[in-house]
Amino acid sequence: MPYEPPTHTVERSLRATTDARIIAGVDEVGRGAWAGPVTVCAAITGLRRPPAGLTDSKLISPKRRTELAGELEKWVTSHALGHASPEEIDALGMTAALRLAAVRALEALPVRPDAVILDGKHDYLGGPWQVRTVIKGDQSCVSVAAASVIAKVRRDALMAELGAVSEEYVPFAFGANAGYPSPVHKAALEERGPTPHHRLSWAYLDSLPQWRHLKKIRIPVGAAAMESGGQLGFDF
């Protein structure tokens, strides 16, 4: 299906309406996976013409996506990745884990961006960063599209490496599904239970009676504070 290539419209708008000169595009991958980290890439591109075929990583074939990521890593002014582990996702919840991964990526850049373009409509990053959210930014915005492709390829490679660490992980086919739901992944979970790379607060465990006892219930930070103060329990 034909698609419009991304542009620098948002970057130019930020430059025109704010003091921002160094602008990072940010995108995440792994939000809906059952296993593995959530990964965020921050990419600074300037206003140069990007490599041909750049768009949302999900619209690019795996082979071309890998080739393009290699081109982009040389083309971008700078980029960095940040991860939040399954343990951190279970402890913090996805929104806070996304912010943690994004902050790690942004702080790993060699220069601090003046502004951040975030894919989607929800600002999970917040202050002190100056954030502009863009729905489908990974299709329309050059810096976010670049971050999308690099994040996807790097996380897929990470999951393939994790799947090859031990023969015990081979049945989960992390190299094929990158930790996302698939029939093979679910069959392996039913037979073997979750690995140390799985998110144990996720709802998939509800449909696996023999492993349901492993599920972690996360107490929101506010609720935990109230409970420790006796407000949610019996304090006679």
Side-chain angles (χ1 to χ4, degrees):
M1 179 182 297
Y3 52 83
E4 291 292 323
T7 69
H8 294 292
T9 300
V10 180
E11 289 94 336
R12 293 184 189 279
S13 172
L14 279 168
R15 287 190 173 206
T17 59
T18 71
D19 314 356
R21 289 296 174 264
I22 301 173
I23 300 168
V26 169
D27 198 16
E28 56 78 22
V29 63
R31 187 195 300 245
W34 288 348
V38 62
T39 296
V40 172
C41 180
I44 298 173
T45 64
L47 300 178
R48 294 170 297 131
R49 182 187 298 273
L54 177 62
T55 186
D56 174 10
S57 64
K58 297 184 289 296
L59 302 177
I60 308 172
S61 71
K63 180 176 183 295
R64 176 55 187 150
R65 189 165 58 218
T66 299
E67 295 170 348
L68 184 57
E71 296 173 24
L72 287 167
E73 290 183 7
K74 298 174 183 176
W75 173 80
V76 298
T77 303
S78 60
H79 76 282
L81 287 101
H83 309 277
S85 69
E87 294 83 1
E88 289 170 328
I89 294 169
D90 287 335
L92 301 173
M94 182 51 74
T95 299
L98 278 170
R99 185 179 194 280
L100 180 63
V103 168
R104 286 170 174 167
L106 289 164
E107 291 184 343
L109 289 169
V111 293
R112 182 182 176 90
D114 301 316
V116 174
I117 304 172
L118 201 60
D119 181 49
K121 64 180 179 179
H122 175 58
D123 177 9
Y124 57 76
L125 183 58
W129 307 93
Q130 180 177 218
V131 177
R132 174 79 61 86
T133 58
V134 179
I135 296 173
K136 294 189 177 179
D138 49 8
Q139 294 183 38
S140 63
C141 178
V142 168
S143 60
V144 178
S148 166
V149 172
I150 295 171
K152 172 65 175 168
V153 170
R154 292 285 290 273
R155 185 182 181 279
D156 282 358
L158 173 63
M159 292 305 298
E161 291 173 7
L162 288 178
V165 165
S166 168
E167 290 186 2
E168 295 180 8
Y169 302 154
V170 171
F172 294 90
F174 289 151
N177 58 49
Y180 282 86
S182 73
V184 170
H185 192 168
K186 184 172 182 180
L189 277 167
E190 289 176 342
E191 180 181 350
R192 298 167 176 268
T195 71
H197 303 303
H198 279 87
R199 303 169 186 181
L200 298 182
S201 58
W202 249 225
Y204 69 84
L205 280 172
D206 294 335
S207 62
L208 302 172
Q210 67 274 43
W211 307 110
R212 196 179 297 156
H213 64 285
L214 298 175
K215 187 172 181 180
K216 292 183 178 179
I217 306 300
R218 184 178 62 87
I219 300 176
V221 174
M226 290 176 67
E227 187 173 16
S228 65
Q231 297 180 51
L232 293 182
F234 296 97
D235 188 16
F236 296 113

